[in-house]
């Protein structure tokens, strides 16, 4: 029982119930290995909450924790049971989505963004009643035959996410992979 409990604690982020980074690295490695063996290429998405530090600074870490939990809950409402959400660090998450073509990946990313944008968290401070709205930048990519390891694709997803931040935030950007078109036809 103790071993099972310890494994569960190691596999899941206690705050959000997303996969932990440790477990996420395992899942990314498995997805990459499957891709290298010729199986379908999953969609990888990097999610980062926009201006999360301001939420913590203005409303406190308890509200920041609510934002993180609500973010994962909202993503889980959109995705399939076979898809994976990983808390990568702080307010960053990675998603591994199976069986999506390019258009479906675009649609899911936009649905996630719309769902996140619809969240309103009421906050009562000593001065005013307020509502916290959540915004998120999303970067999307895939594994490439030229990748040496799963982190190569994670870096591309991160680059695409930063493209979203640098071009206005609260949007989805893609990092297209040259050889990705080959496997979409399969």
């Amino acid at each position: 029982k103790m071993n099972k409990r310890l494994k569960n604690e190691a596999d899941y982020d206690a705050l959000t119930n997303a996969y932990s980074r440790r477990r996420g690295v395992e899942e990314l490695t498995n997805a990459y290995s499957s891709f290298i063996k010729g199986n379908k290429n999953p969609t990888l998405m990097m999610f980062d909450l926009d201006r999360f530090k301001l939420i913590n600074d203005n409303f406190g870490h308890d509200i920041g924790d609510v934002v993180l939990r609500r973010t994962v809950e909202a993503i889980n409402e959109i995705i399939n049971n076979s898809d994976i959400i990983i808390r990568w660090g702080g307010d960053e998450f990675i998603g591994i989505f199976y069986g999506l073509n390019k258009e479906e990946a675009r649609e899911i990313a936009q649905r996630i963004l719309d769902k996140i944008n619809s969240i309103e968290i009421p906050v009562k401070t000593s001065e005013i009643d307020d509502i916290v709205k959540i915004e998120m930048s999303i970067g999307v990519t895939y594994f490439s035959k030229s990748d040496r390891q799963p982190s190569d694709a994670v870096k591309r997803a991160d680059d695409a996410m930063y493209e979203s931040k640098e071009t206005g935030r609260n949007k989805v950007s893609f990092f297209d992979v040259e050889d990705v078109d080959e496997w979409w036809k399969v």
Side-chain angles (χ1 to χ4, degrees):
K1 257 185 168 176
M2 178 66 92
N3 284 343
K4 189 174 181 178
R5 195 179 109 232
L6 289 173
K7 179 163 176 32
N8 193 48
E9 287 176 9
D11 284 350
Y12 294 93
D13 174 63
L15 178 65
T16 64
N17 208 33
Y19 279 156
S20 66
R21 185 171 180 143
R22 187 199 66 76
R23 173 72 185 269
V25 168
E26 288 177 17
E27 293 294 333
L28 284 163
T29 301
N30 292 340
Y32 176 71
S33 294
S34 180
F35 163 71
I36 292 300
K37 291 174 185 169
N39 294 319
K40 291 261 184 187
N41 198 348
T43 303
L44 302 180
M45 294 186 196
M46 175 76 75
F47 308 101
D48 187 79
L49 296 174
D50 294 332
R51 300 178 183 92
F52 182 69
K53 183 180 181 325
L54 287 176
I55 292 171
N56 276 334
D57 290 349
N58 291 332
F59 302 105
H61 290 275
D62 288 346
I63 296 300
D65 289 351
V66 170
V67 167
L68 293 170
R69 279 193 300 272
R70 293 285 301 275
T71 296
V72 172
E73 289 168 4
I75 293 170
N76 280 327
E77 289 176 18
I78 303 287
I79 66 175
N80 294 320
N81 289 338
S82 61
D83 298 329
I84 295 167
I85 299 298
I86 304 158
R87 184 166 183 202
W88 202 242
D91 62 330
E92 272 190 347
F93 300 88
I94 292 179
I96 306 172
F97 303 91
Y98 293 96
L100 301 178
N101 64 34
K102 282 183 179 180
E103 194 52 45
E104 290 166 335
R106 215 175 283 282
E107 180 185 315
I108 292 295
Q110 190 59 52
R111 284 180 57 208
I112 289 170
L113 186 61
D114 292 344
K115 183 75 172 175
I116 295 298
N117 289 167
S118 73
I119 296 172
E120 294 184 347
I121 300 169
V123 178
K124 193 174 197 81
T125 65
S126 55
E127 297 98 33
I128 55 168
D129 291 346
D130 207 346
I131 292 177
V132 173
K133 303 257 319 152
I134 306 172
E135 293 184 346
M136 174 186 281
S137 293
I138 303 175
V140 183
T141 197
Y142 310 91
F143 291 120
S144 168
K145 291 176 184 164
S146 63
D147 289 342
R148 293 258 190 259
Q149 54 199 0
S151 61
D152 295 339
V154 171
K155 170 83 170 83
R156 280 193 303 280
D158 194 51
D159 289 346
M161 183 268 300
Y162 275 103
E163 170 79 13
S164 291
K165 287 197 176 291
E166 291 170 1
T167 58
R169 299 182 193 267
N170 201 40
K171 61 194 275 189
V172 179
S173 295
F174 278 74
F175 193 119
D176 283 324
V177 178
E178 288 183 28
D179 60 8
V180 83
D181 287 328
E182 293 175 30
W183 62 262
W184 281 118
K185 296 173 187 168
V186 175

